[in-house]
Amino acid sequence: MKDFIGVGSSPKRKEDLRFVTGKGQYVADIKRPNMLMGAFLRSPHAHAEITSVDIAEALRMPGVRAIYTGEDMRADEVGGLPVGWAITDRNGEPCKEPLHPAIAVDKVRYVGDAVAFVVAESLEQAEAAAELIEVDYKVLPHVTGLVEALQADAPQIFDDVPGNLCADWEMGDNTAVDAAFENAAHVTSIELVNQRLVGNPMEPRAAIGEYEPERGQYTLWTTSQFPHVVRLLMGEFVLGIPQHRLRVVAPDVGGGFGVKQFHYAEEAVVTWAASKLGGAVKWVAQRSEGFISDAHGRDHVTQAELATDAEGAFLGMRVKTYANMGAYLSTFGPNIPTNLYAPLLSGVYRIPAIYCEVKCAFTNTVPVDAYRGAGRPEATFVVERLVDTAALELGIDKIEIRKRNMIPADAYPYQTPMVVEYDSGDPMACLGRAEELADVAGFAARKAESEAKGLYRGMGVSTYVEACGLAPSRLAIQMGARSGLYESATVRVHPSGAVTILIGTHNHGQGHETTFAQIVSERLGVPFENIDIVCGDTDKVQHGLGTYGSRSLVVGGSALNKAADKVILKGRKIAAHQFEADLEDVLFENGEFSIAGTDKKKSFNEIAGAAYLPYDFPLETLEPGLEEQAYYDPVNFTYPGGAHICEVEINPDTGIVTLDRYTAVDDVGTIINPMIVEGQLQGGIVQGVGQALFEHCVYDDASGQLLSGSFMDYCMPRADNIPHLVIEPLSTSCAHTPLGVKGCGECGTIGSPAAVINGVVDALRHIGVRHVDMPASPNRIWNIIRKTRTRVAAE
């Protein structure tokens, strides 16, 4: 069929033409009539009482229309920012959720906390006026370290949160774990840090609020991964706007990585300010502002133990994690280090008993929430560092110990001891293929070559499993979610046979306009170029949950497939009427309706046209038109997985770690577009390498200031830091999604940090190094080598 591009092919991405030609429309590009500009005054202190805010001089500045404080919003009965998914502690009590005002009232609790919002005719005028606002602060003691925040003598961040403890949470069978450790021949223990990260998407956050008094209508344009959820949280819980009066639009968005997944204060402030001024108000973050206002990621301190028998068989695992929530709870903050972390601690292994406890702490830092992978990379790092360390202590090869404990392919579906049941997978096959592609057999020779040059070479292995497409809705709501986890799709067939897809997910770099078009092209036989995608607008698209957790294809694609089924069924009914045949005799294949065993045929376009005509149509049983909507509520997570192997070289004189080889074999289920999947895996690996070797969000304990608040201080991976990535899929089909897909957007970020750090530790093993915390920066590695050499010399 002409221009038929379906599942399994790799057409060029439909959306890229407008991006590479500068035709994309981002929030910063949007101009509304008589639009005003806004700028925030933010706290320079980590913790302080606000004793007074004097805006008189700033209000006299040219072009200034208004200046708002937290007191103004409180007087207008504006609510605090809600948690979208809270948790309960080990006693069944809700986690502590202190009020999170959009603009600080009475107190600031981190450097960057908003204190005032200036609205003026130009950005320059707003910024100049903000500098003239005089704020008197009474500086209070602060705490930025999460372990320190839980100490008895730590400064209290909230009066109603004793000990700064948000929640003391647990999962697993502690009694069974205790028994496993009592019977163990060997116990491996590690302590590790999963450092704080800043997401830094290419496009900084931005928001435009607009109010039309004559219609009582609000509109928010925002850099969001889930506009419908923003409408729910901001409308219902913060501003009290009925959802039918609030339109939220997320146009082209330049990357998200989880950072744009949350409802932010700035969205509520610009919308509220617009209602006060009766027009449009715009705010665009500067990059330095993003460092102190975008939600950060990770920030765990963990103690973990693995019990084994004498042959290295895993008997039990015990994990204790301290997780930083920051100064307030972000939208999904408490859910990330608990419900999205502990269930994955079994990894790809048969571990009979696991117990995990997590203490979530408030600190005087930027709130912490999901960052690409969101709990899954943290879990994998714990498991894979434990396994590598156990192999070293037991004298078992690092690959061999993994194979001895892996879940065999014939054991699926596999119920883990941590709630989740893996429906499908073959981790042994992934690891075996990765061994071949990485030429593990040739590693010794490459290591000798490196030694001849005075370099240390190490090989790191990481196997992983993750959970995508959060599910099911019933369980999520029981666990504290404010919404179900379904997704929706509408397939609108025009009389010409062209198709418009309206879907509740959001495309901000993933290639949805391409992959979703491929699914419909495959199902309906419609030319690829005749299919358009609409997303990101709550007035145009039926309710949806957006894009996060690798859910778009898993959940959104399933809803789309379901809607296509409905279109085909209605088309068959129309064709049956025209053929004067029974419905059961009408077939649909390759874009044609036909009667089995005859030459009667109708093209999809012909039936589409007939659906809108008043004749030759069964009006007594069918409504005119060809448009169907479907919702899909997943019955379970999907479980992509894989094996990553990397080799690093370390220069002992400089501490520089060079990533020399990298191999990834990933099971992502059915692949719709191989090119896009490879791109997603490449991007994820690079972000994981960034965490392993470069990125570190650092606060000064003494002042509470963010020390890594720009790209001068926050190191990001560059192209010349990454070798050629050898990537190969080795997929098993998901047993419960209609398309067999599993998701791929976070796989690289989950598998790579442990692979890289395991490689670094392996390279330093001969000098007695047992563990290296991330990032393995030149300074850190040089100091480790220097101290180790000094210690050895002293001995």
Side-chain angles (χ1 to χ4, degrees):
M1 180 175 295
K2 184 178 181 296
D3 297 322
F4 173 76
I5 298 175
V7 172
S9 56
S10 294
K12 292 181 179 180
R13 300 198 330 167
K14 298 182 72 166
E15 50 268 73
D16 285 351
L17 180 61
R18 71 175 183 272
F19 295 144
V20 300
T21 57
K23 298 298 186 351
Q25 186 179 56
Y26 302 90
V27 174
D29 299 322
I30 296 172
K31 295 178 174 62
R32 301 298 300 163
N34 303 313
M35 185 171 67
L36 301 173
M37 299 299 296
F40 283 92
L41 176 68
R42 297 185 181 274
S43 170
H45 302 293
H47 196 197
E49 291 181 5
I50 302 172
T51 58
S52 68
V53 181
D54 187 349
I55 63 174
E57 184 177 357
L59 272 173
R60 291 193 291 269
M61 289 292 289
V64 174
R65 295 291 188 88
I67 299 177
Y68 299 111
T69 67
E71 290 291 352
D72 296 319
M73 298 191 80
R74 179 161 65 177
D76 219 22
E77 298 184 345
V78 174
L81 303 183
V83 176
W85 191 334
I87 62 171
T88 55
D89 66 16
R90 65 172 70 219
N91 299 314
E93 296 296 321
C95 65
K96 299 294 191 299
E97 185 183 351
L99 180 69
H100 183 182
I103 299 178
V105 179
D106 300 329
K107 263 189 180 185
V108 291
R109 291 182 169 86
Y110 65 95
V111 173
D113 211 352
V115 176
F117 184 60
V118 181
V119 183
E121 294 171 5
S122 71
L123 177 60
E124 294 75 16
Q125 290 171 331
E127 291 176 337
E131 292 181 2
L132 296 177
I133 298 174
E134 294 186 5
V135 184
D136 285 333
Y137 296 99
K138 179 184 176 182
V139 178
L140 301 171
H142 64 269
V143 58
T144 57
L146 72 154
V147 175
E148 292 78 8
L150 295 174
Q151 301 302 311
D153 59 350
Q156 294 300 289
I157 299 171
F158 295 97
D159 294 338
D160 55 349
V161 182
N164 300 319
L165 182 63
C166 169
D168 186 357
W169 183 92
E170 67 175 354
M171 177 179 282
D173 188 339
N174 197 20
T175 301
V177 169
D178 285 345
F181 275 79
E182 289 175 6
N183 296 319
H186 183 82
V187 173
T188 296
S189 301
I190 60 170
E191 293 188 12
L192 53 85
V193 174
N194 207 295
Q195 82 274 31
R196 179 180 285 238
L197 302 175
V198 181
N200 287 314
M202 185 177 294
E203 175 205 25
R205 288 191 300 113
I208 302 171
E210 185 172 36
Y211 180 63
E212 301 172 68
E214 66 280 3
R215 297 177 56 222
Q217 183 70 30
Y218 298 80
T219 302
L220 169 67
W221 287 266
T222 181
T223 50
S224 178
Q225 298 176 214
F226 58 2
H228 288 87
V229 179
V230 171
R231 182 181 66 173
L232 169 67
L233 296 178
M234 187 180 80
E236 295 291 333
F237 297 97
V238 183
L239 299 181
I241 303 171
Q243 290 188 54
H244 71 285
R245 293 290 185 186
L246 174 60
R247 177 190 182 195
V248 178
V249 183
D252 289 329
V253 173
F257 313 126
V259 171
K260 295 173 182 173
Q261 183 183 330
F262 324 118
H263 171 40
Y264 282 100
E266 294 86 358
E267 295 167 327
V269 172
V270 297
T271 306
W272 176 79
S275 72
K276 307 301 285 186
L277 296 168
V281 178
K282 182 179 188 178
W283 166 80
V284 179
Q286 301 297 314
R287 180 64 67 181
S288 58
E289 188 177 15
F291 270 93
I292 57 172
S293 62
D294 292 357
H296 293 171
R298 312 290 194 250
D299 206 350
H300 290 190
V301 174
T302 295
Q303 302 158 359
E305 297 177 296
L306 179 66
T308 65
D309 68 13
E311 303 302 317
F314 301 161
L315 304 177
M317 181 187 294
R318 183 185 290 129
V319 177
K320 183 176 183 179
T321 293
Y322 299 90
N324 201 334
M325 296 291 96
Y328 303 98
L329 293 185
S330 182
T331 305
F332 299 115
N335 193 50
I336 306 305
T338 52
N339 291 321
L340 295 184
Y341 168 69
L344 275 299
L345 287 172
S346 189
V348 296
Y349 306 113
R350 293 168 293 176
I351 307 177
I354 303 174
Y355 176 73
C356 177
E357 56 181 320
V358 180
K359 295 184 185 298
C360 301
F362 288 110
T363 63
N364 294 117
T365 62
V366 172
V368 178
D369 210 313
Y371 173 68
R372 193 172 188 173
R376 284 70 57 87
E378 297 93 312
T380 296
F381 191 71
V382 171
V383 173
E384 292 301 298
R385 286 297 300 124
L386 262 179
V387 171
D388 239 43
T389 306
L392 178 62
E393 293 176 354
L394 292 165
I396 303 173
D397 177 76
K398 67 187 75 173
I399 293 178
E400 175 60 26
I401 197 171
R402 287 174 165 84
K403 289 181 176 179
R404 290 183 190 179
N405 290 281
M406 274 185 173
I407 304 165
D410 60 6
Y412 290 85
Y414 181 82
Q415 177 64 55
T416 77
M418 298 297 275
V419 179
V420 296
E421 181 183 89
Y422 306 153
D423 68 288
S424 61
D426 192 350
M428 193 82 75
C430 288
L431 181 56
R433 182 56 179 154
E435 279 187 87
E436 296 173 10
L437 292 173
D439 185 23
V440 170
F443 172 72
R446 293 189 294 274
K447 184 176 179 67
E449 291 175 5
S450 297
E451 289 174 351
K453 295 183 290 185
L455 303 176
Y456 302 162
R457 178 177 284 266
M459 180 176 67
V461 178
S462 172
T463 55
Y464 74 94
V465 66
E466 69 154 319
C468 297
L470 305 182
S473 291
R474 174 187 52 77
L475 180 61
I477 292 171
Q478 289 176 355
M479 295 170 67
R482 295 189 187 271
S483 174
L485 299 174
Y486 57 82
E487 195 47 77
S488 67
T490 295
V491 175
R492 178 178 296 160
V493 182
H494 301 282
S496 64
V499 173
T500 297
I501 299 168
L502 300 100
I503 194 159
T505 61
H506 189 272
N507 180 25
H508 43 274
Q510 295 87 351
H512 295 176
E513 293 178 36
T514 303
T515 52
F516 288 152
Q518 286 181 249
I519 292 170
V520 170
S521 185
E522 171 99 3
R523 293 300 319 281
L524 302 184
V526 176
F528 178 72
E529 70 274 12
N530 290 351
I531 302 169
D532 292 327
I533 313 294
V534 176
C535 68
D537 188 333
T538 62
D539 268 14
K540 295 180 179 178
V541 178
Q542 66 289 337
H543 193 78
L545 273 295
T547 291
Y548 54 88
S550 300
R551 72 183 298 275
S552 293
L553 189 57
V554 170
V555 189
S558 296
L560 181 58
N561 187 73
K562 192 174 177 181
D565 283 341
K566 292 183 177 182
V567 167
I568 292 169
L569 177 59
K570 186 170 183 179
R572 288 176 59 225
K573 291 178 179 179
I574 297 171
H577 175 81
Q578 294 191 352
F579 292 148
E580 298 182 346
D582 292 333
L583 176 63
E584 292 74 16
D585 294 330
V586 179
L587 306 178
F588 180 72
E589 290 182 315
N590 299 320
E592 288 185 330
F593 296 90
S594 63
I595 300 295
T598 75
D599 60 355
K600 291 183 177 181
K601 293 181 180 180
K602 291 277 187 178
S603 70
F604 182 82
N605 286 4
E606 290 178 297
I607 295 299
Y612 291 90
L613 296 175
Y615 60 87
D616 205 16
F617 184 91
L619 287 172
E620 64 280 2
T621 57
L622 291 178
E623 296 179 353
L626 193 53
E627 176 176 326
E628 297 292 343
Q629 183 178 118
Y631 285 79
Y632 178 78
D633 193 357
V635 298
N636 190 6
F637 289 91
T638 60
Y639 299 97
H644 291 201
I645 299 177
C646 82
E647 291 183 28
V648 302
E649 277 190 331
I650 299 176
N651 186 325
D653 296 326
T654 64
I656 293 175
V657 178
T658 300
L659 192 63
D660 187 59
R661 298 162 67 96
Y662 199 100
T663 301
V665 176
D666 299 282
D667 176 358
V668 298
T670 301
I671 294 175
I672 306 299
N673 185 307
M675 176 189 70
I676 288 177
V677 167
E678 184 171 2
Q680 286 287 305
L681 294 171
Q682 287 176 343
I685 290 169
V686 171
Q687 280 191 274
V689 170
Q691 176 172 14
L693 297 181
F694 306 106
E695 300 182 46
H696 194 186
C697 180
V698 180
Y699 279 90
D700 178 53
D701 291 336
S703 66
Q705 297 293 322
L706 180 64
L707 299 180
S708 51
S710 74
F711 288 145
M712 293 294 290
D713 308 297
Y714 187 90
C715 186
M716 301 274 280
R718 306 190 315 178
D720 60 355
N721 300 130
I722 308 299
H724 172 68
L725 302 176
V726 178
I727 295 173
E728 182 177 295
L730 200 164
S731 291
T732 60
S733 180
C734 177
H736 60 82
T737 57
L739 297 169
V741 297
K742 295 186 178 183
C744 68
E746 295 161 306
C747 290
T749 317
I750 294 167
S752 56
V756 174
I757 292 300
N758 282 343
V760 170
V761 174
D762 185 55
L764 300 173
R765 183 177 62 177
H766 68 286
I767 62 171
V769 174
R770 186 171 178 271
H771 179 67
V772 174
D773 274 322
M774 300 184 287
S777 62
N779 180 64
R780 174 168 286 171
I781 298 301
W782 185 85
N783 275 299
I784 288 173
I785 294 172
R786 180 177 61 84
K787 290 176 181 178
T788 303
R789 285 174 172 172
T790 301
R791 187 187 72 244
V792 171
E795 294 173 351

